[in-house]
Amino acid sequence: MYVYLSSNEKFAVKIDGCDTTASSKVTKAPANAVKTQQGNAMFAGEFRCGVDDKGRFVLPSVFRGSFPVEDEQLAKSVIMLKSLDHSLWLYRTHEWEEKLIATRQHLDDEQSRLFMHYVVAESAPSEVDKNGRLSIPKRLREFAEIDNEVVLIGLYERIELWSPLRWEAYLVRLEERHEMTLGKILSIL
């Protein structure tokens, strides 16, 4: 399924913050989710969520619906990784394992060691708890400079976690660098 916020009303509510009424009884995808042939969930949208002192935040319900309930343990398991731009990448564990296998086949020995040392060794497992919360390990929060708020960006099969200041600075740099290209893309719409 491809998760996308389709109505402006829902988008406005979700963009202002993550819902705090997490439920462990999520049994199906949200009504605004569209299924793909593969059945894999893809993430889209921007959300701002409060982070507590333990580094936990409530995953937005539209994202929680992307975790199937057939195998509860596997479905709720995620991996967090450092990115080069000081954000964090979050993958569902089964998709991360598939990416690891595929990536390994395309790297020579030196690249593979670099990948394993920088990316895999620095990764951290986590789980969506029964209240729909995820915990960001302290060392990853410090790396990404995430304090009391996190910006979640749905990006296909992963979710990016940004500090609000880094996210806004990234957008400014991106717009400055690609203003003409963005104009062409948006004119197609």
Side-chain angles (χ1 to χ4, degrees):
M1 66 187 151
Y2 176 77
V3 179
Y4 186 75
L5 301 173
S6 60
S7 78
N8 289 336
E9 182 179 353
K10 286 184 181 177
F11 185 79
V13 170
K14 299 297 182 189
I15 198 79
D16 288 339
C18 297
D19 55 54
T20 56
T21 57
S23 170
S24 60
K25 298 178 181 173
V26 176
T27 57
K28 64 179 183 174
N32 57 350
V34 179
K35 294 191 182 230
T36 63
Q37 293 174 347
Q38 297 87 0
N40 292 331
M42 296 185 76
F43 302 105
E46 175 180 325
F47 302 85
R48 291 180 181 258
C49 303
V51 178
D52 69 15
D53 293 340
K54 296 179 181 178
R56 298 176 302 191
F57 66 93
V58 177
L59 197 63
S61 60
V62 70
F63 284 174
R64 282 194 314 271
S66 299
F67 292 87
V69 295
E70 295 86 41
D71 182 349
E72 199 66 32
Q73 186 66 24
L74 180 61
K76 305 277 185 194
S77 177
V78 298
I79 298 292
M80 292 185 194
L81 311 161
K82 292 180 177 180
S83 76
L84 292 176
D85 50 22
H86 282 267
S87 67
L88 303 175
W89 292 354
L90 183 141
Y91 286 93
R92 289 172 290 242
T93 300
H94 69 280
E95 289 176 346
W96 172 241
E97 290 168 353
E98 291 170 5
K99 281 205 171 292
L100 269 177
I101 292 167
T103 302
R104 184 178 177 194
Q105 296 172 1
H106 298 289
L107 302 176
D108 63 31
D109 286 343
E110 184 178 342
Q111 292 169 332
S112 182
R113 285 176 54 87
L114 179 63
F115 177 70
M116 294 300 288
H117 290 162
Y118 182 78
V119 178
V120 178
E122 295 289 327
S123 66
S126 192
E127 282 188 6
V128 180
D129 72 13
K130 66 182 180 179
N131 295 315
R133 294 177 303 188
L134 267 173
S135 179
I136 307 169
K138 183 176 170 102
R139 67 182 172 85
L140 293 180
R141 283 196 320 268
E142 289 172 353
F143 169 80
E145 299 177 6
I146 295 170
D147 189 23
N148 59 359
E149 185 178 29
V150 63
V151 179
L152 305 179
I153 305 298
L155 193 62
Y156 304 110
E157 73 281 351
R158 75 173 180 246
I159 300 171
E160 293 184 346
L161 289 73
W162 291 79
S163 77
L165 289 176
R166 281 198 175 271
W167 173 243
E168 290 160 14
Y170 173 79
L171 287 178
V172 168
R173 285 191 316 272
L174 192 66
E175 287 173 9
E176 289 172 355
R177 202 173 15 174
H178 300 292
E179 188 173 351
M180 187 179 295
T181 304
L182 283 171
K184 288 179 183 178
I185 292 169
L186 293 175
S187 71
I188 294 171
L189 302 175

